[in-house]
């Protein structure tokens, strides 16, 4: 969380359990959360282990000023998570 507060990167990517501190920080409200599957459907058929440290997808945070809506080109192909 602290690094993101100081630098405010355009994009932050991580696995769920490693993003807990960031998700609790005030700066996380400046980002939209998207989840990106780690494997394609074809990969899932061949994979033995589909989770990595309990996560099945990557958490992708995009700064809101770059991606004001999930339909904008910078965010195409990503699935916005709403809570």
């Amino acid at each position: 969380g602290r690094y993101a507060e100081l630098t405010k990167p355009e994009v932050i990517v991580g696995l769920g359990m490693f993003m807990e501190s960031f998700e609790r920080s005030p700066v996380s409200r400046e980002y939209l959360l998207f989840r990106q599957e780690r494997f394609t459907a074809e990969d899932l058929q061949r994979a033995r282990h589909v989770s990595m440290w309990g996560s099945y997808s990557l958490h992708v945070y995009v700064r809101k000023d770059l991606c004001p809506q999930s339909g904008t080109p910078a965010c195409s192909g990503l699935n916005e998570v709403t809570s």
Side-chain angles (χ1 to χ4, degrees):
R2 185 78 177 128
Y3 175 79
E5 287 177 39
L6 296 173
T7 63
K8 297 196 175 161
E10 294 176 349
V11 177
I12 300 170
V13 178
L15 296 172
M17 69 180 294
F18 298 111
M19 300 305 295
E20 291 174 359
S21 174
F22 173 75
E23 290 170 349
R24 288 190 303 268
S25 73
V27 74
S28 69
R29 291 187 290 261
E30 298 177 32
Y31 290 82
L32 293 173
L33 168 60
F34 299 88
R35 288 211 179 107
Q36 184 67 35
E37 297 303 316
R38 292 181 36 246
F39 297 105
T40 65
E42 183 179 308
D43 290 336
L44 286 172
Q45 292 176 353
R46 294 186 295 217
R48 287 183 173 179
H49 304 285
V50 295
S51 76
M52 181 179 283
W53 293 297
S55 292
Y56 295 91
S57 60
L58 294 173
H59 290 213
V60 180
Y61 294 87
V62 179
R63 216 173 54 211
K64 287 182 178 178
D65 64 316
L66 299 173
C67 189
Q69 301 173 9
S70 58
T72 58
C75 300
S76 64
L78 297 173
N79 300 314
E80 184 176 359
V81 176
T82 56
S83 50

